[in-house]
Amino acid sequence: MFEGIRQKIFLIKDNVERIKEDIETTFLRDPAARSVPEILTAYPGFHAIFMHRIAHYLWVRERYLPARFLSHINRFITGIEIHPGAKIGRRFFIDHGMGVVIGETTEIGDDVTIYHGVTLGGTTWRKEKRHPTVKDRVVIGAGAKVLGPAVIGENSRVGAGSVVIRDVPPNSTVVGVPGKAMAKGVKPVPPGAADLNHHELPDPEAIVMETLSHRIAELEGKLSKLEKLVLGENEDKKVSGK
């Protein structure tokens, strides 16, 4: 009996601590946040994470119907759909949030930030690990899709509108459809912080065009030398023929 009461008290304290963390995270990652009452009443990402914790608590205790019903209410109120089976770490931040979908077997680490329209979706109907694993301190830009059991490494950034279907190494920047790791060596951020410079992304088309331009210039230089060499040999033959 006393052990059960002790566990409930610990659970309440842990949830209160997480709520405080979520409020601090909102201030840290959204300069538009002005007050605690504003966050408590007008931030759908905050509401979605709070309700997901309750739904996940029910889900892991096999209260599947109330868990799903609560997640359905969550989607109706916030526009954010999080399956109650999804595992989400601490200081998770959803900016704006409308249209976000997070599937059942998704695993999200600590200090992750995602923007509106992000899908963490599955690619099979089989009951297995079919959704992404997002490691610590990842930023996923607006409208990006991460499909299947892909692993997004620590400190990585996924550009807006990208479609990721393969694993992403840590400290990488991913852009394009399908997504490609165009830059590595992203500077790690300390725990509790986030790299919100998701607009600073490489342009794969510009990189290809620049590479082609350098290659063309190199080939033109070689061709010019070859033409001079051929013309010089022809002139020598004319002189010797005379």
Side-chain angles (χ1 to χ4, degrees):
M1 177 180 174
F2 292 108
E3 182 63 26
I5 294 174
R6 191 179 297 110
Q7 289 179 356
K8 289 180 180 179
I9 293 174
F10 174 79
L11 182 63
I12 292 171
K13 287 183 177 180
D14 183 65
N15 284 326
V16 170
E17 184 64 30
R18 288 185 177 236
I19 291 171
K20 289 180 180 179
E21 278 188 349
D22 291 340
I23 292 172
E24 292 171 358
T25 297
T26 303
F27 279 122
L28 177 66
R29 301 185 201 172
D30 187 0
R34 292 177 175 82
S35 66
V36 173
E38 181 183 15
I39 294 171
L40 293 175
T41 57
Y43 270 75
F46 176 85
H47 301 152
I49 295 166
F50 176 77
M51 282 189 279
H52 170 73
R53 289 210 185 95
I54 301 173
H56 185 70
Y57 176 85
L58 295 171
W59 183 265
V60 297
R61 285 159 180 77
E62 300 183 356
R63 309 281 181 84
Y64 298 127
L65 180 57
R68 288 304 303 267
F69 184 66
L70 182 57
S71 70
H72 185 70
I73 294 173
N74 192 359
R75 179 178 66 172
F76 179 78
I77 294 173
T78 66
I80 299 168
E81 181 176 346
I82 309 176
H83 192 284
K87 299 176 182 177
I88 297 177
R90 304 181 81 105
R91 297 176 295 278
F92 178 51
F93 181 63
I94 304 174
D95 200 358
H96 299 291
M98 181 61 70
V100 167
V101 177
I102 300 175
E104 177 186 5
T105 61
T106 301
E107 298 177 55
I108 299 175
D110 297 334
D111 304 304
V112 171
T113 301
I114 66 175
Y115 288 79
H116 53 281
V118 167
T119 297
L120 304 179
T123 54
T124 179
W125 291 344
R126 293 190 295 272
K127 293 182 180 296
E128 59 187 23
K129 171 63 174 170
R130 60 190 185 279
H131 296 93
T133 297
V134 181
K135 298 290 189 177
D136 298 346
R137 297 177 298 281
V138 169
V139 177
I140 305 179
K145 316 297 177 188
V146 186
L147 305 177
V151 178
I152 311 299
E154 293 88 347
N155 304 306
S156 292
R157 297 179 296 178
V158 178
S162 300
V163 177
V164 180
I165 56 177
R166 298 183 181 87
D167 292 353
V168 175
N171 307 308
S172 299
T173 298
V174 181
V175 293
V177 180
K180 295 180 176 63
M182 300 300 300
K184 297 182 180 179
V186 175
K187 185 178 179 181
V189 295
D195 180 4
L196 299 184
N197 296 314
H198 57 104
H199 62 288
E200 298 178 357
L201 300 173
D203 185 342
E205 294 184 2
I207 293 173
V208 170
M209 293 302 294
E210 184 178 358
T211 302
L212 288 174
S213 296
H214 285 305
R215 183 59 177 162
I216 290 170
E218 182 181 346
L219 291 173
E220 286 178 342
K222 291 180 179 180
L223 181 61
S224 177
K225 291 180 181 179
L226 184 60
E227 287 177 346
K228 291 178 181 179
L229 181 62
V230 171
L231 290 174
E233 290 179 353
N234 289 339
E235 288 295 329
D236 291 341
K237 288 181 180 179
K238 289 180 181 179
V239 172
S240 61
K242 291 180 180 181

